[in-house]
């Protein structure tokens, strides 16, 4: 009976884990788009893209994105339920908007290099990435969007703000990830820009608006004092 009670306690403590079921919506939809959007898509391109060089070393921060997002999500999952819900709402809303855009306006890139000037392990890793990830369904960049969403959650966390080195490290890694999307020719400047605009707009709903409501509640006089004044 002891293990059953412990299991029940864990389920109650981490019942907010139901949020992860969103992956059952996102992944099938995403992979469907990956298979369907192979031609006749809107090519995203900016003149700035042509001026950005290909630098294969950025494959390292690009791949670290997966670890970064997982660590941030799990940190809030285990330590801050309210912060976890906010981060999940911000991330998953943006990811859903991305899926809707990709469905209604199929899009892709044509900026990947066909010939590589250097031959090293980083170039080999990029080649593997290119084979695994099609150059379609790119706007807005989820790499950029989720990196910024994670940074927002970290910045809004009072507990994490006490660890400035951790916060600074996260911000630097996020910046390198964003740069990596462009230097690896995985995303256009347009994809990056739309992701920044989208995360800013959704931030107003999930963080800024709630902060304003909290400030208003604090400034409002208690009911007891209002009754005495009457």
């Amino acid at each position: 009976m002891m293990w059953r009670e412990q299991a029940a306690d864990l389920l109650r403590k981490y019942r907010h884990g139901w949020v992860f079921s969103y992956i059952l919506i996102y992944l099938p939809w995403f992979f469907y788009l990956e298979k369907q959007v192979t031609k006749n898509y809107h090519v995203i391109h900016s003149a700035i893209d042509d001026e950005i060089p290909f630098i294969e070393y950025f494959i390292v921060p690009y791949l670290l994105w997966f670890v970064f997002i997982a660590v941030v999500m799990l940190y809030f999952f285990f330590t801050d339920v309210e912060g976890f819900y906010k981060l999940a709402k911000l991330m998953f809303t943006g990811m859903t908007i991305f899926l809707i855009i990709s469905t209604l306006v199929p899009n892709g890139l044509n900026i990947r290099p066909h010939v590589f000037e250097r031959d090293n392990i980083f170039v080999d890793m990029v080649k593997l990435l290119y084979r695994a990830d099609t150059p379609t369904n790119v706007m807005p960049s989820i790499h950029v969007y989720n990196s910024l969403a994670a940074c927002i959650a970290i910045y809004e966390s009072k507990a994490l703000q006490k660890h400035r080195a951790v916060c600074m490290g996260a911000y630097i890694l996020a910046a390198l990830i964003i740069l990596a999307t462009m230097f690896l020719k995985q995303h256009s400047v347009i994809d990056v820009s739309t992701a920044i605009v989208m995360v800013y707009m959704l931030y107003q709903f999930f963080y800024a608006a709630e902060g304003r409501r909290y400030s208003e509640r604090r400034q409002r006089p208690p009911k007891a004092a209002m009754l005495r004044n009457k």
Side-chain angles (χ1 to χ4, degrees):
M1 289 296 293
M2 182 67 71
W3 69 268
R4 290 184 179 180
E5 293 175 359
Q6 291 175 343
D9 289 340
L10 285 174
L11 288 174
R12 282 192 295 269
K13 184 177 181 180
Y14 299 117
R15 58 183 177 274
H16 50 290
W18 69 268
V19 170
F20 289 120
S21 62
Y22 172 76
I23 204 72
L24 300 177
I25 298 173
Y26 181 82
L27 284 182
W29 193 346
F30 176 77
F31 286 122
Y32 168 79
L33 291 172
E34 285 286 277
K35 290 183 179 180
Q36 294 299 314
V37 182
T38 56
K39 57 183 179 179
N40 299 323
Y41 52 78
H42 178 72
V43 177
I44 298 171
H45 181 263
S46 166
I48 301 175
D49 298 329
D50 300 331
E51 303 301 322
I52 299 174
F54 170 80
I55 303 177
E56 67 272 21
Y57 307 112
F58 274 97
I59 188 65
V60 176
Y62 187 88
L63 295 179
L64 282 176
W65 175 82
F66 296 95
V67 178
F68 177 51
I69 298 303
V71 168
V72 173
M73 287 290 287
L74 290 175
Y75 169 81
F76 283 97
F77 176 79
F78 287 113
T79 66
D80 182 356
V81 176
E82 183 181 355
F84 172 76
Y85 274 125
K86 284 185 182 179
L87 175 58
K89 285 189 288 187
L90 180 60
M91 277 191 177
F92 296 164
T93 300
M95 291 164 70
T96 303
I97 292 173
F98 156 76
L99 290 172
I100 293 172
I101 292 173
S102 297
T103 302
L104 299 179
V105 187
N107 56 82
L109 298 172
N110 190 25
I111 58 175
R112 288 180 173 180
H114 298 291
V115 177
F116 298 92
E117 297 179 358
R118 294 173 292 277
D119 183 15
N120 54 51
I121 188 172
F122 301 103
V123 169
D124 292 339
M125 292 167 70
V126 173
K127 290 178 180 178
L128 288 173
L129 173 65
Y130 284 178
R131 283 199 288 269
D133 186 21
T134 68
T136 57
N137 310 312
V138 294
M139 188 186 77
S141 167
I142 292 301
H143 256 66
V144 173
Y145 180 86
N146 280 354
S147 295
L148 292 174
C151 287
I152 288 171
I154 291 168
Y155 179 79
E156 295 285 339
S157 170
K158 293 181 180 179
L160 285 176
Q161 283 305 308
K162 297 175 183 177
H163 305 281
R164 299 184 66 178
V166 173
C167 294
M168 190 57 63
Y171 301 152
I172 292 172
L173 177 57
L176 290 172
I177 290 169
I178 293 170
L179 291 173
T181 64
M182 294 178 284
F183 283 111
L184 293 180
K185 302 300 180 177
Q186 279 289 89
H187 286 283
S188 165
V189 170
I190 296 173
D191 306 330
V192 173
S193 300
T194 53
I196 293 171
V197 171
M198 188 168 74
V199 79
Y200 173 78
M201 293 176 65
L202 292 178
Y203 165 80
Q204 306 305 317
F205 289 98
F206 299 128
Y207 285 89
E210 186 167 326
R212 287 193 292 269
R213 287 194 296 268
Y214 177 74
S215 298
E216 289 171 1
R217 287 197 298 269
R218 290 195 64 181
Q219 293 173 5
R220 195 178 302 153
K223 289 184 178 180
M226 294 174 67
L227 290 172
R228 285 197 301 270
N229 292 334
K230 289 182 178 180

